[in-house]
PDB file of all heavy atoms in Angstrom:
ATOM      1  N   ALA B 164     -18.989  -7.245   2.661  1.00 98.00           N
ATOM      2  CA  ALA B 164     -19.274  -7.905   1.386  1.00 98.00           C
ATOM      3  C   ALA B 164     -20.738  -8.323   1.233  1.00 98.00           C
ATOM      4  O   ALA B 164     -21.416  -8.624   2.213  1.00 98.00           O
ATOM      5  CB  ALA B 164     -18.380  -9.128   1.234  1.00 98.00           C
ATOM      6  N   ASP B 165     -21.202  -8.303  -0.030  1.00 97.00           N
ATOM      7  CA  ASP B 165     -22.506  -8.872  -0.365  1.00 97.00           C
ATOM      8  C   ASP B 165     -22.338 -10.297  -0.863  1.00 97.00           C
ATOM      9  O   ASP B 165     -23.207 -11.139  -0.680  1.00 97.00           O
ATOM     10  CB  ASP B 165     -23.164  -8.045  -1.475  1.00 97.00           C
ATOM     11  CG  ASP B 165     -23.356  -6.601  -1.061  1.00 97.00           C
ATOM     12  OD1 ASP B 165     -23.923  -6.375   0.031  1.00 97.00           O
ATOM     13  OD2 ASP B 165     -22.922  -5.706  -1.801  1.00 97.00           O
ATOM     14  N   GLU B 166     -21.221 -10.522  -1.567  1.00 98.00           N
ATOM     15  CA  GLU B 166     -20.933 -11.850  -2.085  1.00 98.00           C
ATOM     16  C   GLU B 166     -19.469 -12.170  -1.806  1.00 98.00           C
ATOM     17  O   GLU B 166     -18.668 -11.264  -1.587  1.00 98.00           O
ATOM     18  CB  GLU B 166     -21.191 -11.914  -3.602  1.00 98.00           C
ATOM     19  CG  GLU B 166     -22.644 -11.653  -3.962  1.00 98.00           C
ATOM     20  CD  GLU B 166     -22.963 -11.951  -5.421  1.00 98.00           C
ATOM     21  OE1 GLU B 166     -22.164 -12.638  -6.081  1.00 98.00           O
ATOM     22  OE2 GLU B 166     -24.015 -11.482  -5.878  1.00 98.00           O
ATOM     23  N   ALA B 167     -19.158 -13.442  -1.813  1.00 98.00           N
ATOM     24  CA  ALA B 167     -17.775 -13.840  -1.565  1.00 98.00           C
ATOM     25  C   ALA B 167     -17.371 -14.901  -2.565  1.00 98.00           C
ATOM     26  O   ALA B 167     -18.132 -15.816  -2.855  1.00 98.00           O
ATOM     27  CB  ALA B 167     -17.622 -14.383  -0.150  1.00 98.00           C
ATOM     28  N   VAL B 168     -16.165 -14.748  -3.101  1.00 98.00           N
ATOM     29  CA  VAL B 168     -15.589 -15.792  -3.938  1.00 98.00           C
ATOM     30  C   VAL B 168     -14.483 -16.437  -3.107  1.00 98.00           C
ATOM     31  O   VAL B 168     -13.520 -15.776  -2.734  1.00 98.00           O
ATOM     32  CB  VAL B 168     -15.019 -15.208  -5.242  1.00 98.00           C
ATOM     33  CG1 VAL B 168     -14.253 -16.276  -6.012  1.00 98.00           C
ATOM     34  CG2 VAL B 168     -16.131 -14.622  -6.096  1.00 98.00           C
ATOM     35  N   VAL B 169     -14.684 -17.693  -2.742  1.00 98.00           N
ATOM     36  CA  VAL B 169     -13.719 -18.395  -1.894  1.00 98.00           C
ATOM     37  C   VAL B 169     -12.802 -19.222  -2.787  1.00 98.00           C
ATOM     38  O   VAL B 169     -13.241 -20.177  -3.431  1.00 98.00           O
ATOM     39  CB  VAL B 169     -14.442 -19.279  -0.866  1.00 98.00           C
ATOM     40  CG1 VAL B 169     -13.439 -20.046  -0.019  1.00 98.00           C
ATOM     41  CG2 VAL B 169     -15.330 -18.420   0.023  1.00 98.00           C
ATOM     42  N   VAL B 170     -11.541 -18.793  -2.865  1.00 98.00           N
ATOM     43  CA  VAL B 170     -10.582 -19.426  -3.770  1.00 98.00           C
ATOM     44  C   VAL B 170      -9.941 -20.618  -3.055  1.00 98.00           C
ATOM     45  O   VAL B 170      -9.422 -20.485  -1.952  1.00 98.00           O
ATOM     46  CB  VAL B 170      -9.498 -18.420  -4.209  1.00 98.00           C
ATOM     47  CG1 VAL B 170      -8.554 -19.064  -5.211  1.00 98.00           C
ATOM     48  CG2 VAL B 170     -10.143 -17.169  -4.791  1.00 98.00           C
ATOM     49  N   THR B 171     -10.000 -21.777  -3.694  1.00 98.00           N
ATOM     50  CA  THR B 171      -9.525 -23.008  -3.061  1.00 98.00           C
ATOM     51  C   THR B 171      -8.700 -23.823  -4.048  1.00 98.00           C
ATOM     52  O   THR B 171      -9.088 -23.963  -5.200  1.00 98.00           O
ATOM     53  CB  THR B 171     -10.742 -23.852  -2.607  1.00 98.00           C
ATOM     54  OG1 THR B 171     -11.583 -23.045  -1.799  1.00 98.00           O
ATOM     55  CG2 THR B 171     -10.309 -25.067  -1.819  1.00 98.00           C
ATOM     56  N   ASN B 172      -7.584 -24.346  -3.588  1.00 97.00           N
ATOM     57  CA  ASN B 172      -6.800 -25.285  -4.394  1.00 97.00           C
ATOM     58  C   ASN B 172      -7.236 -26.705  -4.047  1.00 97.00           C
ATOM     59  O   ASN B 172      -7.703 -26.950  -2.943  1.00 97.00           O
ATOM     60  CB  ASN B 172      -5.297 -25.141  -4.096  1.00 97.00           C
ATOM     61  CG  ASN B 172      -4.694 -23.875  -4.690  1.00 97.00           C
ATOM     62  OD1 ASN B 172      -3.560 -23.532  -4.405  1.00 97.00           O
ATOM     63  ND2 ASN B 172      -5.454 -23.160  -5.503  1.00 97.00           N
ATOM     64  N   PRO B 173      -7.038 -27.635  -4.985  1.00 97.00           N
ATOM     65  CA  PRO B 173      -7.456 -29.019  -4.715  1.00 97.00           C
ATOM     66  C   PRO B 173      -6.477 -29.718  -3.779  1.00 97.00           C
ATOM     67  O   PRO B 173      -5.790 -30.654  -4.153  1.00 97.00           O
ATOM     68  CB  PRO B 173      -7.461 -29.685  -6.094  1.00 97.00           C
ATOM     69  CG  PRO B 173      -6.793 -28.736  -7.009  1.00 97.00           C
ATOM     70  CD  PRO B 173      -6.524 -27.455  -6.340  1.00 97.00           C
ATOM     71  N   GLU B 174      -6.462 -29.255  -2.557  1.00 95.00           N
ATOM     72  CA  GLU B 174      -5.442 -29.726  -1.622  1.00 95.00           C
ATOM     73  C   GLU B 174      -6.031 -29.594  -0.224  1.00 95.00           C
ATOM     74  O   GLU B 174      -6.760 -28.632   0.059  1.00 95.00           O
ATOM     75  CB  GLU B 174      -4.220 -28.832  -1.843  1.00 95.00           C
ATOM     76  CG  GLU B 174      -3.060 -29.059  -0.986  1.00 95.00           C
ATOM     77  CD  GLU B 174      -2.756 -27.808  -0.190  1.00 95.00           C
ATOM     78  OE1 GLU B 174      -3.246 -26.725  -0.522  1.00 95.00           O
ATOM     79  OE2 GLU B 174      -2.069 -27.959   0.806  1.00 95.00           O
ATOM     80  N   VAL B 175      -5.746 -30.538   0.694  1.00 94.00           N
ATOM     81  CA  VAL B 175      -6.479 -30.593   1.962  1.00 94.00           C
ATOM     82  C   VAL B 175      -6.348 -29.335   2.817  1.00 94.00           C
ATOM     83  O   VAL B 175      -7.324 -28.875   3.394  1.00 94.00           O
ATOM     84  CB  VAL B 175      -6.098 -31.827   2.813  1.00 94.00           C
ATOM     85  CG1 VAL B 175      -6.771 -33.059   2.268  1.00 94.00           C
ATOM     86  CG2 VAL B 175      -4.601 -32.014   2.891  1.00 94.00           C
ATOM     87  N   SER B 176      -5.146 -28.765   2.905  1.00 95.00           N
ATOM     88  CA  SER B 176      -5.002 -27.619   3.807  1.00 95.00           C
ATOM     89  C   SER B 176      -5.767 -26.416   3.262  1.00 95.00           C
ATOM     90  O   SER B 176      -6.346 -25.641   4.016  1.00 95.00           O
ATOM     91  CB  SER B 176      -3.532 -27.280   4.033  1.00 95.00           C
ATOM     92  OG  SER B 176      -2.909 -26.993   2.813  1.00 95.00           O
ATOM     93  N   SER B 177      -5.776 -26.272   1.958  1.00 97.00           N
ATOM     94  CA  SER B 177      -6.527 -25.169   1.372  1.00 97.00           C
ATOM     95  C   SER B 177      -8.026 -25.326   1.628  1.00 97.00           C
ATOM     96  O   SER B 177      -8.724 -24.365   1.935  1.00 97.00           O
ATOM     97  CB  SER B 177      -6.243 -25.104  -0.132  1.00 97.00           C
ATOM     98  OG  SER B 177      -7.035 -24.115  -0.726  1.00 97.00           O
ATOM     99  N   VAL B 178      -8.503 -26.558   1.524  1.00 97.00           N
ATOM    100  CA  VAL B 178      -9.930 -26.812   1.758  1.00 97.00           C
ATOM    101  C   VAL B 178     -10.295 -26.498   3.210  1.00 97.00           C
ATOM    102  O   VAL B 178     -11.293 -25.840   3.499  1.00 97.00           O
ATOM    103  CB  VAL B 178     -10.301 -28.268   1.407  1.00 97.00           C
ATOM    104  CG1 VAL B 178     -11.726 -28.585   1.824  1.00 97.00           C
ATOM    105  CG2 VAL B 178     -10.132 -28.503  -0.083  1.00 97.00           C
TER     106      VAL B 178
END
Side-chain angles (χ1 to χ4, degrees):
Chain B
D165 301 309
E166 298 190 16
V168 172
V169 178
V170 183
T171 307
N172 286 171
E174 178 240 344
V175 283
S176 59
S177 176
V178 172

